[in-house]
């Protein structure tokens, strides 16, 4: 083999490694340049369901992320809300899905704040997975099961939820993780979503 063909092969290999041969990023691998702003999200405390699997066949996430709890205020029993309000703040570490509703969407804020933290048994410094949905054109969080404590970014729930989002929230993509989700109390809901997908 002459020098010229060898040089062409080496140049092609270098270009391949540097550009087009990079691993394709998945849908859940979202690069965010965070601002120092705070996203305040309403608590839809009256919803009958909460967590990563709501609705009969599954509701689309408006925002799903992993973060670290940075502040928890004391619960308040002020008159007004029909629930015990407790404000808390989460610093976003990784965002897995953004599907902004018409108003009040996510715009790269570094911090998430809501008053849905009462009785969640969480502490400052805890790592969590968070699931928000659309309500009346804005973002909402339906409470207790929509904030899940995890050990860190290598927690198996993170991998499972990324697979779920990468598959356009197709529950069949995480059917093998039923035992994992069952340990967090979501076995029945995930099974229902799987049956719904299989029947449609």
């Amino acid at each position: 083999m002459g020098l010229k063909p060898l040089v062409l092969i080496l140049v092609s290999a270098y270009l391949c490694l540097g550009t087009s041969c990079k691993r394709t990023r998945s849908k859940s691998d979202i690069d965010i340049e965070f601002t120092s702003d705070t996203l305040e999200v309403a608590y839809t405390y009256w919803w009958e369901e909460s967590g990563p699997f709501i609705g009969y066949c599954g509701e689309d996430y408006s925002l799903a992320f992993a973060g670290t709890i940075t502040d928890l205020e004391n619960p308040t029993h002020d008159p007004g809300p029909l629930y015990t309000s407790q404000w808390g703040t989460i610093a976003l570490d990784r965002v897995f899905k953004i599907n902004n509703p018409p108003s009040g969407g996510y715009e790269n804020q570094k911090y998430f704040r809501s008053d849905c933290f009462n009785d969640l048994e969480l502490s400052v410094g805890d790592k969590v997975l968070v699931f928000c949905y659309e309500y009346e054109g804005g973002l909402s969080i339906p409470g207790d099961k929509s904030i899940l404590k995890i050990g860190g970014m290598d927690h198996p729930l993170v991998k499972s939820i990324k697979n779920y989002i990468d598959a356009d929230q197709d529950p069949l993509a995480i059917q093998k993780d039923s035992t994992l989700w069952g340990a967090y109390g979501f076995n029945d809901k995930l099974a229902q979503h799987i049956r719904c997908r299989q029947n449609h």
Side-chain angles (χ1 to χ4, degrees), residues 19-186:
T19 56
S20 60
C21 292
K22 284 184 179 177
R23 180 181 66 87
T24 302
R25 295 180 69 83
S26 66
K27 292 178 183 178
S28 62
D29 290 324
I30 302 175
D31 284 328
I32 299 284
E33 289 190 22
F34 292 113
T35 69
S36 59
D37 297 329
T38 299
L39 173 70
E40 195 164 294
V41 175
Y43 176 21
T44 45
Y45 64 90
W46 62 91
W47 283 16
E48 294 181 359
E49 297 178 300
S50 68
F53 311 110
I54 70 171
Y56 185 75
C57 292
E59 294 291 328
D60 202 26
Y61 303 142
S62 290
L63 179 65
F65 66 89
T68 305
I69 295 180
T70 60
D71 180 63
L72 286 172
E73 299 178 13
N74 290 326
T76 137
H77 299 281
D78 293 341
L82 301 177
Y83 60 96
T84 300
S85 172
Q86 182 179 9
W87 287 95
T89 303
I90 300 171
L92 279 71
D93 297 324
R94 292 285 305 278
V95 177
F96 303 124
K97 181 161 185 179
I98 305 168
N99 183 25
N100 278 334
S103 62
Y106 177 70
E107 297 178 351
N108 295 9
Q109 294 96 331
K110 175 63 178 175
Y111 300 97
F112 165 97
R113 181 171 156 81
S114 186
D115 68 340
C116 65
F117 287 84
N118 188 54
D119 289 334
L120 295 190
E121 298 182 3
L122 295 170
S123 303
V124 170
D126 285 348
K127 301 288 187 181
V128 291
L129 272 177
V130 181
F131 306 96
C132 299
Y133 298 89
E134 179 181 349
Y135 177 69
E136 292 189 344
L139 288 174
S140 77
I141 184 164
D144 58 349
K145 296 184 177 71
S146 291
I147 301 179
L148 304 179
K149 184 177 177 180
I150 56 174
M153 291 304 299
D154 58 350
H155 194 281
L157 285 186
V158 173
K159 181 178 180 182
S160 183
I161 211 64
K162 282 171 59 66
N163 289 339
Y164 183 53
I165 290 169
D166 291 341
D168 295 323
Q169 293 187 224
D170 182 349
L172 297 178
I174 58 170
Q175 188 170 9
K176 62 179 175 45
D177 299 334
S178 293
T179 302
L180 169 66
W181 287 104
Y184 287 81
F186 297 110

